[in-house]
Amino acid sequence: MERTFVAIKPDGVQRGLVGPILTRFEQRGFRILALKMLTVPREMAEKHYAVHQGKFFYEDLVKYIGSGPVVAMVLEGVEAIKAVRLMVGATRPYEAAPGTIRGDYALTGLRNLIHASDSPETAQAEIALWFAPEEIQSYTRDLDRWIYE
Ligand SMILES: Nc1ncnc2c1ncn2[C@@H]1O[C@H](COP(=O)(O)OP(=O)(O)O)[C@@H](O)[C@H]1O
Ligand SMILES: [Mg+2]
């Protein structure tokens, strides 16, 4: 089992896509271990996007993620990091494959609805940045045996 961090960005919340996006992850078989809504403070946005510091779009990116409430979550499942990234789709929405979240709900620019960790290292760091340990549940569901057996 693997854990990954996902955030529905402010455009996803504004467009009323929280439900459809959560539904996709639940229906795929991921367990939601943590879930909350928050408006990301500047300092946290800078930490979250530290790898992009210095890039031309950095300032815009930090403002974008802090521009309204986001829905943050920790998901758990087999190969969760890779599988969730595949469900999210390519960074540029017009290049994202149909069937992916970005490919189905986004079109232009970089208002691309959702963030997902891209490696085990970033997943660990992002989960620790966004959630306190006591906010993360550990449980199994009766239906997991139908998914994982
Ligand atoms: N060239 C760019 N111009 C403006 N914004 C960008 C650009 N590249 C990436 N971004 C924004 O920064 C976010 C983080 O970039 P990156 O980590 O490369 O993509 P991803 O979100 O697919 O992991 C993107 O989701 C997007 O919102
Ligand atoms: Mg990224």
Side-chain angles (χ1 to χ4, degrees), residues 9 49 51-52 55-57 60-61 64 85 88-92 102 110-112 114-116 118:
K9 294 177 177 182
Y49 280 130
V51 313
H52 296 298
K55 294 183 187 164
F56 73 92
F57 59 84
D60 182 58
L61 186 55
Y64 165 37
R85 287 285 293 191
V88 164
T91 303
R92 296 169 202 278
R102 287 167 173 167
L110 289 131
R111 297 296 177 257
N112 57 13
I114 185 164
H115 166 86
D118 61 7

Coordinates of all heavy atoms in Angstrom, one line a residue, residues 9 49 51-52 55-57 60-61 64 85 88-92 102 110-112 114-116 118, ligand 1:
K9 N -7.5 22.1 -6.4 CA -7.1 23.5 -6.4 C -8.3 24.5 -6.4 O -9.5 24.0 -6.6 CB -6.2 23.8 -7.6 CG -4.9 23.0 -7.6 CD -4.1 23.3 -8.9 CE -2.7 22.6 -8.9 NZ -2.0 23.0 -10.1
Y49 N 5.4 24.7 -3.2 CA 5.9 24.8 -4.5 C 7.4 25.2 -4.5 O 7.9 25.8 -5.5 CB 5.1 25.8 -5.3 CG 3.8 25.2 -5.8 CD1 2.5 25.8 -5.6 CD2 3.8 24.0 -6.6 CE1 1.3 25.3 -6.1 CE2 2.6 23.5 -7.0 CZ 1.4 24.1 -6.8 OH 0.2 23.5 -7.3
V51 N 10.0 23.6 -5.2 CA 10.8 23.1 -6.3 C 10.7 24.1 -7.5 O 11.5 24.0 -8.4 CB 10.5 21.7 -6.8 CG1 10.4 20.8 -5.6 CG2 9.2 21.6 -7.6
H52 N 9.6 24.8 -7.6 CA 9.4 25.7 -8.7 C 9.9 27.1 -8.5 O 9.8 28.0 -9.3 CB 7.9 25.8 -9.1 CG 7.4 24.5 -9.5 ND1 7.8 23.8 -10.7 CD2 6.4 23.7 -9.0 CE1 7.2 22.7 -10.8 NE2 6.3 22.5 -9.8
K55 N 11.3 29.9 -11.1 CA 10.7 29.7 -12.5 C 9.8 30.9 -12.8 O 9.3 31.6 -11.9 CB 9.9 28.4 -12.6 CG 10.8 27.2 -12.5 CD 10.1 25.9 -12.7 CE 11.0 24.8 -12.4 NZ 10.3 23.5 -12.3
F56 N 9.6 31.2 -14.1 CA 8.8 32.4 -14.4 C 7.4 32.4 -13.9 O 6.8 33.4 -13.7 CB 8.9 32.6 -16.0 CG 8.0 31.7 -16.7 CD1 6.7 32.0 -17.0 CD2 8.5 30.4 -17.1 CE1 5.9 31.1 -17.7 CE2 7.7 29.5 -17.8 CZ 6.4 29.9 -18.1
F57 N 6.8 31.2 -13.7 CA 5.4 31.1 -13.3 C 5.3 30.9 -11.8 O 4.2 30.8 -11.3 CB 4.8 29.9 -14.1 CG 5.4 28.6 -13.9 CD1 5.1 27.8 -12.7 CD2 6.3 28.1 -14.8 CE1 5.6 26.6 -12.5 CE2 6.9 26.8 -14.6 CZ 6.5 26.1 -13.5
D60 N 2.9 33.5 -10.0 CA 1.5 33.2 -10.4 C 1.0 32.0 -9.7 O -0.2 31.9 -9.2 CB 1.5 33.1 -11.9 CG 0.1 32.8 -12.4 OD1 -0.7 33.7 -12.2 OD2 -0.1 31.8 -13.1
L61 N 1.8 31.0 -9.6 CA 1.5 29.7 -9.1 C 1.1 29.8 -7.6 O 0.1 29.3 -7.1 CB 2.6 28.7 -9.3 CG 2.5 27.3 -8.9 CD1 1.3 26.7 -9.6 CD2 3.8 26.5 -9.3
Y64 N -2.1 31.6 -7.3 CA -3.2 30.7 -7.7 C -3.6 29.7 -6.6 O -4.8 29.6 -6.3 CB -2.7 30.0 -9.0 CG -3.5 28.7 -9.5 CD1 -4.9 28.7 -9.4 CD2 -2.8 27.7 -10.1 CE1 -5.5 27.5 -9.9 CE2 -3.4 26.6 -10.5 CZ -4.8 26.5 -10.4 OH -5.4 25.4 -10.9
R85 N -1.5 10.0 -10.4 CA -1.0 10.9 -11.4 C -1.6 10.5 -12.8 O -1.9 11.4 -13.5 CB 0.6 10.7 -11.5 CG 1.3 11.4 -10.3 CD 1.3 12.9 -10.3 NE 2.1 13.4 -11.4 CZ 2.5 14.7 -11.5 NH1 2.1 15.6 -10.6 NH2 3.2 15.1 -12.5
V88 N -5.0 11.9 -12.9 CA -4.9 13.4 -13.0 C -4.7 13.9 -14.4 O -5.3 14.8 -14.9 CB -3.9 14.0 -12.0 CG1 -3.5 15.4 -12.3 CG2 -4.4 13.8 -10.6
G89 N -3.7 13.3 -15.1 CA -3.4 13.7 -16.5 C -2.3 14.7 -16.6 O -1.8 15.2 -15.6
A90 N -2.0 15.0 -17.8 CA -0.8 15.9 -18.1 C -1.1 17.3 -17.6 O -2.2 17.7 -17.4 CB -0.6 16.0 -19.6
T91 N 0.1 18.0 -17.3 CA 0.0 19.3 -16.6 C -0.8 20.3 -17.4 O -1.6 21.1 -16.9 CB 1.5 19.8 -16.4 OG1 2.2 18.9 -15.7 CG2 1.5 21.2 -15.7
R92 N -0.5 20.3 -18.8 CA -1.3 21.2 -19.6 C -2.6 20.6 -20.0 O -2.6 19.6 -20.7 CB -0.5 21.5 -20.9 CG 0.8 22.3 -20.7 CD 1.6 22.3 -21.9 NE 3.0 22.5 -21.6 CZ 3.6 23.7 -21.4 NH1 2.9 24.7 -21.5 NH2 4.8 23.8 -21.1
R102 N -8.0 16.2 -15.6 CA -7.7 17.4 -16.4 C -8.2 17.3 -17.8 O -8.7 18.3 -18.3 CB -6.2 17.7 -16.4 CG -5.7 18.1 -15.0 CD -4.2 18.1 -14.9 NE -3.6 18.7 -13.7 CZ -2.4 18.6 -13.3 NH1 -1.5 17.9 -14.0 NH2 -2.0 19.2 -12.2
L110 N -3.0 27.1 -17.2 CA -2.6 26.2 -16.1 C -3.5 26.2 -15.0 O -3.2 25.9 -13.8 CB -1.1 26.5 -15.7 CG -0.3 26.0 -17.0 CD1 0.6 27.0 -17.5 CD2 0.3 24.7 -16.7
R111 N -4.8 26.5 -15.3 CA -5.8 26.3 -14.3 C -6.3 24.9 -14.4 O -7.2 24.5 -15.1 CB -7.0 27.3 -14.5 CG -6.6 28.7 -14.3 CD -6.1 29.0 -12.9 NE -5.6 30.4 -12.7 CZ -4.3 30.8 -12.6 NH1 -3.4 29.9 -12.8 NH2 -4.0 32.0 -12.4
N112 N -5.5 24.0 -13.8 CA -5.6 22.6 -14.1 C -6.2 21.7 -13.0 O -6.0 20.5 -12.9 CB -4.3 22.0 -14.6 CG -3.2 22.2 -13.6 OD1 -3.4 22.6 -12.4 ND2 -1.9 22.0 -14.0
I114 N -6.2 20.4 -10.1 CA -5.8 19.4 -9.1 C -4.3 19.3 -9.1 O -3.6 19.4 -10.1 CB -6.5 18.0 -9.5 CG1 -6.2 17.0 -8.4 CG2 -6.1 17.5 -10.8 CD1 -7.1 15.8 -8.4
H115 N -3.8 19.0 -7.8 CA -2.4 18.7 -7.6 C -2.3 17.2 -7.1 O -3.1 16.8 -6.3 CB -1.8 19.6 -6.6 CG -0.4 19.1 -6.1 ND1 0.7 19.4 -6.7 CD2 -0.1 18.3 -5.1 CE1 1.7 18.8 -6.1 NE2 1.3 18.1 -5.1
A116 N -1.3 16.5 -7.5 CA -1.0 15.2 -6.9 C 0.5 15.0 -6.8 O 1.2 15.4 -7.7 CB -1.6 14.1 -7.8
D118 N 4.2 13.6 -7.1 CA 4.8 12.9 -8.2 C 5.8 11.8 -7.9 O 6.4 11.2 -8.8 CB 5.4 13.9 -9.2 CG 6.4 14.8 -8.6 OD1 6.9 14.5 -7.5 OD2 6.9 15.7 -9.3
Ligands
LIG1 N1 4.8 26.8 -17.9 C1 4.0 27.1 -16.9 N2 3.3 28.3 -16.8 C2 2.5 28.5 -15.8 N3 2.1 27.7 -14.8 C3 2.8 26.5 -14.8 C4 3.7 26.1 -15.9 N4 4.1 24.8 -15.6 C5 3.5 24.4 -14.5 N5 2.7 25.4 -14.0 C6 1.8 25.3 -12.9 O1 2.5 24.8 -11.8 C7 2.0 23.6 -11.3 C8 3.1 22.7 -10.9 O2 3.8 22.3 -12.1 P1 4.3 20.8 -12.3 O3 4.7 20.2 -11.0 O4 5.2 20.8 -13.4 O5 2.9 20.1 -12.8 P2 1.9 19.1 -12.2 O6 0.9 19.8 -11.4 O7 1.4 18.3 -13.3 O8 2.8 18.2 -11.3 C9 1.1 23.1 -12.5 O9 0.1 22.2 -12.1 C10 0.6 24.4 -13.1 O10 -0.5 24.9 -12.3

